[in-house]
Amino acid sequence: MSGGPYGPSQGFAVPPPVPPMPTSPPPAPPDGWRAAAVALLNLSGLGLGYALLRRWVLMAVCWAATVVLLLVALPADADGVPSAALAGYAVVLLLAALHGGIAGLRTRLSWPPRAPLALLLGIVLLAVPAGGALWYRDAHDEAVEQALLARLDKADLLVATSGRRPFTSAEPGYRSALEVYRDLAEHHAGSRAARRLPDSLRTYYTTVGAAYGHQDYCDAVEPLKYLRTVPGTLPKGRLGSLAGWPDDRLANSLFECGSQRLTAGGTDWDARFGDLLDTFPRSEAAAKVSPAVDAAVRRAKKAVDGSEPCAAVQQLRDLDTRIGALAKSSGDADGTLAEAAGQAGRSGDAGEYACGVDQYKDGDFDAAQKTMEQFVADNKNARNAARAKKIAIAAEVAQTLPKAGKKLPTTGSGGGISVTVKNASPHDITVLYTGPVTGSFTLKACGGCKAYTLAETLTTGFKPCSDSSRHYPQRTISLPAGTTYFVHKPNGTSTATPASDTAALRPGYIYTECAYTTQTFGSGY
């Protein structure tokens, strides 16, 4: 065997092959502490678990999720964070914690070197989201408080602006403000706005009921009635003493409004008094109703002797009706209202005479006749009944002969001048006369007499009641000297027009008056 340059040829072993270098560090042995640390660090919302594992993209995803949540949540407002955003963020955190825990189980941390220290750091950093949540809760609560205060301020402003308008147009505003107060009292009782409610409610009551403070009692009635409904809309006990605040004021307003309108001759005073007696029957205001009504009857009774007796009589009639109805509706336990109604009725009856005289003097003879006839019918035994009857006769004569109404007739009768009235008419007639004395009487129809034609009455020598063979119904009366006005009117259903005559009577003469019928009812000597 030949040798080489190295000496004799010998055998040698080939060295084993060297394995290739790994491209990444071998996986670390499983470590639960490390996995828990990564998971906790990711729960902070900052992706710090991924940072320790050098998973930068996943850390950026965690940061992006947190930034999006902050943009949605801040600044804190009363509406809070949308539930969808919170749910989405919670899902991201849970996935990051789960995935980080799995990844950290076999991946070494870049820092800190020991897993327990990282776990402690994760626990400490959990204070970040917890503290942020606490801070956000406080900020949200403050935002809610500010929103509630803003609602309260808006409701208070609505009350103030409504208070400058009449109640009918302001009521919707009052109701809207009250709805805000009710919501604060029921659903936000512990809020700062709710603690301000007592002051707002006091202002509310004084604003709604301001008309009472201004002594505008009629205008105050409806607002005060409305305020009595408020306790039913708020939680029990919330109003305290305000619950009874409108009662006395409403009772006084009903009385004062009714009294003012009663004095002024208004038409709804009885409704106010009726409301008062029904709602507050034992109040001081209710006790003043009867005296007020009595005073009104006395005023109207006194006014009968004044310049407008007919208006006073009308008022007495109205008082009689309204007081009587009020007495029935209220019960009138002591009978004072019924007595006042009776007094008004009696005074109205008696006042008709003064009213008729006033109408006669004013030349309203038709009204005077009707008034006096009604007075006589209602008061047959009254002291003025006889004269009222004569005034009614004179008023009827004056409707045909206005000059007959220049003087008010007296109760005088008789005289020294004889006047005979005959009836040549086929109708029963009533003869009315007035002048120095006033009276009336009736004459039966003339049997066989006829109505004259107009041509006959214009014939020369026409003399009615001149047929000596005929017996004319007649009556002779004695009258004083002076001018007497006669009216002959047909009785029953006759449509003949009443006739009239004016006679200047002088002593030493005997006068004859003849009633006859033409196309219109006529008379003559």
Side-chain angles (χ1 to χ4, degrees):
M1 178 180 288
S2 62
Y6 302 103
S9 175
Q10 301 177 349
F12 61 91
V14 180
V18 178
M21 294 296 292
T23 58
S24 60
D31 187 343
W33 291 99
R34 187 171 56 237
V38 173
L40 285 175
L41 286 169
N42 278 356
L43 283 177
S44 68
L46 301 176
L48 294 180
Y50 286 133
L52 297 184
L53 297 178
R54 295 177 296 278
R55 304 286 183 93
W56 309 114
V57 174
L58 293 176
M59 183 189 75
V61 172
C62 291
W63 273 90
T66 300
V67 169
V68 170
L69 179 67
L70 292 176
L71 290 175
V72 172
L74 298 178
D77 59 26
D79 294 332
V81 182
S83 57
L86 285 176
Y89 187 66
V91 169
V92 170
L93 289 185
L94 291 174
L95 289 176
L98 180 62
H99 181 262
I102 295 173
L105 187 63
R106 293 182 176 275
T107 303
R108 288 185 175 87
L109 303 178
S110 62
W111 184 92
R114 295 180 181 276
L117 182 60
L119 182 62
L120 179 62
L121 179 62
I123 293 174
V124 172
L125 288 179
L126 282 179
V128 174
L134 291 174
W135 173 86
Y136 184 81
R137 186 189 66 181
D138 291 341
H140 174 258
D141 289 345
E142 179 61 24
V144 171
E145 289 283 1
Q146 292 300 324
L148 294 177
L149 289 170
R151 287 185 66 201
L152 180 62
D153 289 338
K154 185 177 180 180
D156 290 346
L157 179 61
L158 181 59
V159 171
T161 55
S162 298
R164 293 190 284 269
R165 301 197 305 271
F167 177 74
T168 51
S169 61
E171 185 177 359
Y174 290 139
R175 292 190 180 278
S176 296
L178 184 62
E179 182 61 26
V180 173
Y181 298 154
R182 184 198 62 77
D183 182 67
L184 291 175
E186 285 188 353
H187 303 118
H188 307 281
S191 65
R192 294 204 298 272
R195 290 195 291 272
R196 273 180 46 188
L197 268 183
D199 291 337
S200 294
L201 287 171
R202 277 192 293 271
T203 302
Y204 184 83
Y205 268 68
T206 55
T207 302
V208 175
Y212 180 82
H214 299 150
Q215 297 183 346
D216 297 330
Y217 297 112
C218 291
D219 291 339
V221 169
E222 292 307 317
L224 291 172
K225 284 185 176 181
Y226 164 76
L227 286 175
R228 295 188 78 228
T229 68
V230 170
T233 65
L234 294 175
K236 187 175 182 179
R238 169 60 70 173
L239 288 172
S241 61
L242 283 176
W245 188 88
D247 292 352
D248 286 344
R249 291 170 173 80
L250 177 57
N252 289 333
S253 294
L254 288 170
F255 172 75
E256 294 295 342
C257 178
S259 182
Q260 289 172 3
R261 294 186 175 179
L262 176 60
T263 302
T267 58
D268 65 343
W269 59 267
D270 53 328
R272 300 301 186 186
F273 283 168
D275 200 355
L276 170 59
L277 294 174
D278 289 343
T279 310
F280 307 103
R282 294 179 176 81
S283 64
E284 292 183 5
K288 294 189 275 188
V289 169
S290 289
V293 167
D294 287 338
V297 172
R298 289 195 300 272
R299 285 193 301 270
K301 184 178 178 181
K302 184 177 181 180
V304 169
D305 297 327
S307 60
E308 297 291 339
C310 293
V313 168
Q314 182 59 42
Q315 185 179 9
L316 286 166
R317 298 293 192 207
D318 186 68
L319 287 171
D320 179 18
T321 301
R322 294 178 183 274
I323 298 172
L326 185 62
K328 292 179 181 178
S329 65
S330 66
D332 192 26
D334 57 3
T336 55
L337 291 175
E339 174 57 30
Q343 181 63 31
R346 292 188 295 272
S347 298
D349 290 344
E352 279 185 326
Y353 176 80
C355 173
V357 170
D358 186 67
Q359 291 168 333
Y360 189 93
K361 289 180 177 179
D362 289 342
D364 190 353
F365 300 119
D366 179 60
Q369 178 191 349
K370 293 175 181 176
T371 299
M372 287 307 191
E373 287 175 347
Q374 187 64 47
F375 174 77
V376 173
D378 294 339
N379 304 273
K380 292 182 173 61
N381 298 320
R383 178 174 55 87
N384 293 320
R387 192 180 186 194
K389 187 174 182 179
K390 290 184 178 292
I391 293 174
I393 293 171
E396 187 170 2
V397 173
Q399 291 175 58
T400 301
L401 300 170
K403 289 183 179 180
K406 287 185 176 181
K407 293 182 179 180
L408 198 67
T410 67
T411 55
S413 62
I417 300 174
S418 177
V419 177
T420 299
V421 181
K422 297 180 179 182
N423 184 17
S425 164
H427 308 289
D428 291 351
I429 65 169
T430 295
V431 179
L432 310 171
Y433 59 92
T434 186
V437 297
T438 300
S440 67
F441 56 90
T442 61
L443 292 175
K444 294 289 186 179
C446 174
C449 291
K450 66 174 184 177
Y452 294 98
T453 65
L454 182 61
E456 288 176 319
T457 62
L458 297 177
T459 302
T460 303
F462 173 70
K463 292 183 179 180
C465 299
S466 59
D467 187 351
S468 59
S469 64
R470 190 177 299 278
H471 176 72
Y472 297 101
Q474 59 184 284
R475 181 171 177 176
T476 300
I477 57 175
S478 297
L479 299 176
T483 301
T484 296
Y485 303 90
F486 291 90
V487 168
H488 309 152
K489 68 173 185 177
N491 296 344
T493 59
S494 173
T495 59
T497 303
S500 61
D501 190 24
T502 301
L505 304 180
R506 292 179 295 173
Y509 292 87
I510 296 176
Y511 295 89
T512 300
E513 183 85 8
C514 182
Y516 61 93
T517 300
T518 59
Q519 291 179 349
T520 61
F521 199 77
S523 68
Y525 285 108

